[in-house]
Amino acid sequence: MNASEFIAQFLNKRGVKNVFMLSGTGSIYLDDAFAHQKGMRYICARHEAAAVGMASAYSKLLNDVGVVIATTGPGGTNAISGVAEAWVDSAPVLVISGQVGTQQLSEKVRTFGIQGFNIIENVKHITKYAVRVDDPNDIQFHLEKAIHKATTGRPGPVWLDIPFDIQSKEVDMNNLKEFRPFYFDKEKSTLKLDKALTALRNSEKPLIVFGQGVRTSDSIEELRFLMNELRIPAISARMANDILTDQDECYFGMGGIRGNLSTAEIMKECDLVLALGTSLTHAQAGPEYDYFKSMKNLIMVNIDKKEITKKGLKVDFPFNVDLKLFLTEFNNKIKETVEWNRYSGWLDTCKEYEESNPIVTSEHSGNPINSYHFLDKVSKHAKDNAVFVSDAGSSNYAVSQTLKMKEGQRDLTSGAFYSMGLAVPLSIGASATQPDSQVITIVGDGSIELNIQELRTISYNDLNVKTFVINNGGYASIRKSQDDMTGARYTDDDTVLNFEKVAAAFELPFYIIEDYDNIDSDLKNIFANDKPMLIEVVCDCNQKIVEPFGGNV
């Protein structure tokens, strides 16, 4: 077999069932190999950045590597913004790009051959591993090393660039180079936990703040044990919004500027924070890490040392280790301790905050439709296997603040960048990965324009994706920033697309929700089948965003 066929077969044997691509002459042998690999499905995107977004959804849902094929030159450079997204969100995505033939490569010029570009030198800073493969017998080594790098430690994207002539060269199956990774023996590690345990024992109002590192380290049950055993309240980062559910007594939802009102009160009052697998970003902890106003001690566990030592963050007890290892040893210490303070009184206080600070109230009733009320209804009508996908802007606030997650449901978004236009590609990747799941996409009337071409990918592949467009008269969250910072001088195009015509252009059924009294019946009709649909939701253009910390971004 040639190198391209070997790559497709190798990834298929490893368990990759979907690959996302946009065909090009520079990747023609790669495209052909993946398109004809038995047991593997390929989804043709309309833009390479969107293809990476689709692969990111695949990787986030399965906690494994997602695969993208891109052609040379502009195909690779188009993918860069998607790779940057995967980098900041720690998504293990493998990009395999075509390149001009080795005889046309030149290292010191701006471009070479036909559409040639030195992509590897340009993506090294946003990938964990990036290399050009110049020998077909090295391909197994680079595949194994790339996947190892992408999925171990803090996950992230990797990139292999395959010259045109190498793609079609025969692989010598008896002369393949292999990669042999070094694994740290976790069994021999003994963490120095005594001082951190003492700080926790002496605290009166501790708080667990956790991120997606809990999922990537397979530590959900360890988190639940710690939380429930000591009765410690817990809040999540944005990317961990779907790890625990509304049924977990000690879980109070998402914190930070896009969190809910009760978690804001809890964050202000806690005296110790146990940060597990979260970067404690400014969106979560405040511009000066000042949202935890009464915090005396910070225990932080993160596989990425740079997150623990970043500017402005004072960590009293740093643990730069695998989270599962930490929680296993930490929980064992707790089990061995006969006398331990259970924080039931503090937990009751947190419950009072939750009861007295609802997000959705009677003020959100009536016409024009309030998006918080609408999404509360969507959450109640959604199936137990639903995958929620949200975009940037005001709709992102409403989703993270309103959804009541059930066991088995997932929530995908652009976690670090809050990128406009990512929801539609994410929804495609989600539906391709979990075809039996109900995919519910929430996107703003402005955000959808950035990847609107992928609506045709949804209709062409007949994906079970319901795309709800929140029509609130343009960029509501940007208008809010302009109100606050530029004296309400607006610089945006405030016109809104005719979404009925958009749906027709992309061959999607169309539905409009515009009356508060009909929301329940409308949602029943929309969710009555598994077909794709574009739904316009006409909402209040003057609606206010719930800002737990007074709008400090």
Side-chain angles (χ1 to χ4, degrees), residues 187-410:
E187 298 300 322
K188 294 181 180 179
S189 175
T190 302
L191 299 173
K192 297 180 180 179
L193 300 173
D194 290 345
K195 290 184 178 179
L197 284 162
T198 299
L200 177 59
R201 182 193 293 276
N202 291 336
S203 70
E204 296 180 0
K205 299 178 179 181
L207 175 65
I208 295 172
V209 180
F210 64 92
Q212 67 170 335
V214 171
R215 187 184 299 281
T216 57
S217 64
D218 190 27
S219 303
I220 296 176
E221 292 312 310
E222 287 79 4
L223 168 65
R224 276 198 168 110
F225 173 85
L226 173 62
M227 181 179 69
N228 294 327
E229 178 71 11
L230 297 185
R231 311 283 288 167
I232 300 177
I235 63 174
S236 72
R238 183 64 181 93
M239 296 292 286
N241 203 33
D242 57 0
I243 287 177
L244 299 180
T245 75
D246 195 43
Q247 300 303 307
D248 286 288
E249 183 187 6
C250 298
Y251 176 55
F252 291 89
M254 189 182 122
I257 64 171
R258 293 173 177 84
N260 59 52
L261 297 169
S262 61
T263 58
E265 296 301 317
I266 295 168
M267 289 166 64
K268 291 175 186 175
E269 195 168 330
C270 69
D271 62 6
L272 178 144
V273 171
L274 180 54
L276 304 176
T278 176
S279 300
L280 281 182
T281 64
H282 292 292
Q284 186 181 13
E288 304 294 335
Y289 301 102
D290 51 355
Y291 287 172
F292 299 101
K293 295 182 178 179
S294 298
M295 180 179 66
K296 298 175 183 176
N297 286 297
L298 172 58
I299 304 169
M300 188 170 183
V301 188
N302 202 296
I303 196 71
D304 187 346
K305 187 176 182 178
K306 295 182 182 67
E307 294 292 352
I308 298 175
T309 58
K310 61 190 175 186
K311 181 181 178 181
L313 185 64
K314 179 182 177 294
V315 182
D316 301 286
F317 304 98
F319 293 92
N320 176 216
V321 294
D322 176 80
L323 182 58
K324 194 177 186 74
L325 168 65
F326 173 86
L327 283 175
T328 299
E329 294 197 19
F330 201 77
N331 288 343
N332 284 339
K333 290 279 189 181
I334 289 172
K335 292 175 187 176
E336 294 169 2
T337 306
V338 177
E339 296 291 334
W340 192 279
N341 176 32
R342 267 64 177 177
Y343 302 96
S344 297
W346 166 229
L347 187 67
D348 289 340
T349 298
C350 294
K351 290 178 181 178
E352 291 174 7
Y353 287 143
E354 185 175 47
E355 291 172 2
S356 58
N357 290 281
I359 288 291
V360 181
T361 69
S362 58
E363 294 181 3
H364 297 136
S365 303
N367 287 315
I369 295 172
N370 182 285
S371 64
Y372 285 93
H373 175 83
F374 172 72
L375 288 168
D376 184 54
K377 291 285 190 179
V378 169
S379 184
K380 291 173 181 175
H381 281 271
K383 294 181 179 179
D384 290 347
N385 69 349
V387 179
F388 296 97
V389 184
S390 56
D391 215 285
S394 59
S395 63
N396 196 293
Y397 279 84
V399 168
S400 62
Q401 293 171 330
T402 305
L403 291 187
K404 301 294 184 184
M405 301 301 295
K406 305 170 189 172
E407 198 73 44
Q409 293 181 337
R410 293 297 304 272

Side-chain angles (χ1 to χ4, degrees), residues 47-282:
H47 194 282
E48 290 85 356
V52 182
M54 297 171 198
S56 294
Y58 180 98
S59 70
K60 290 174 182 179
L61 288 175
L62 298 183
N63 206 15
D64 202 357
V65 66
V67 178
V68 175
I69 309 298
T71 191
T72 187
T77 57
N78 280 348
I80 287 177
S81 61
V83 171
E85 185 80 37
W87 173 253
V88 297
D89 274 2
S90 304
V93 172
L94 166 62
V95 177
I96 305 173
S97 61
Q99 184 56 275
V100 301
T102 52
Q103 74 278 10
Q104 298 177 7
L105 294 170
S106 295
E107 303 298 336
K108 301 293 184 179
V109 297
R110 293 191 180 187
T111 183
F112 39 77
I114 299 174
Q115 293 187 309
F117 183 69
N118 191 351
I119 195 72
I120 293 302
E121 290 304 315
N122 284 275
V123 299
K124 280 185 175 179
H125 294 294
I126 54 171
T127 55
K128 294 188 68 179
Y129 184 68
V131 67
R132 189 179 69 223
V133 182
D134 292 327
D135 185 336
N137 293 327
D138 290 343
I139 190 62
Q140 180 172 322
F141 172 88
H142 290 301
L143 281 168
E144 290 173 341
K145 187 172 182 179
I147 292 171
H148 174 76
K149 291 281 190 180
T151 56
T152 57
R154 183 176 183 176
V158 292
W159 194 304
L160 298 182
D161 195 38
I162 318 289
F164 189 76
D165 53 326
I166 301 299
Q167 294 174 34
S168 61
K169 277 190 177 180
E170 188 173 329
V171 174
D172 183 352
M173 301 298 290
N174 297 315
N175 195 30
L176 285 170
K177 185 179 177 182
E178 295 183 358
F179 171 69
R180 300 185 184 280
F182 170 78
Y183 288 99
F184 174 68
D185 187 354
K186 296 179 182 178
E187 298 300 322
K188 294 181 180 179
S189 175
T190 302
L191 299 173
K192 297 180 180 179
L193 300 173
D194 290 345
K195 290 184 178 179
L197 284 162
T198 299
L200 177 59
R201 182 193 293 276
N202 291 336
S203 70
E204 296 180 0
K205 299 178 179 181
L207 175 65
I208 295 172
V209 180
F210 64 92
Q212 67 170 335
V214 171
R215 187 184 299 281
T216 57
S217 64
D218 190 27
S219 303
I220 296 176
E221 292 312 310
E222 287 79 4
L223 168 65
R224 276 198 168 110
F225 173 85
L226 173 62
M227 181 179 69
N228 294 327
E229 178 71 11
L230 297 185
R231 311 283 288 167
I232 300 177
I235 63 174
S236 72
R238 183 64 181 93
M239 296 292 286
N241 203 33
D242 57 0
I243 287 177
L244 299 180
T245 75
D246 195 43
Q247 300 303 307
D248 286 288
E249 183 187 6
C250 298
Y251 176 55
F252 291 89
M254 189 182 122
I257 64 171
R258 293 173 177 84
N260 59 52
L261 297 169
S262 61
T263 58
E265 296 301 317
I266 295 168
M267 289 166 64
K268 291 175 186 175
E269 195 168 330
C270 69
D271 62 6
L272 178 144
V273 171
L274 180 54
L276 304 176
T278 176
S279 300
L280 281 182
T281 64
H282 292 292

Side-chain angles (χ1 to χ4, degrees), residues 2 4-5 21-36 69-72 96-100 162-165 167-168:
N2 65 33
S4 298
E5 292 165 340
M21 63 171 72
L22 197 160
S23 302
T25 301
S27 59
I28 199 73
Y29 294 109
L30 290 163
D31 299 337
D32 182 70
F34 279 92
H36 293 90
I69 309 298
T71 191
T72 187
I96 305 173
S97 61
Q99 184 56 275
V100 301
I162 318 289
F164 189 76
D165 53 326
Q167 294 174 34
S168 61

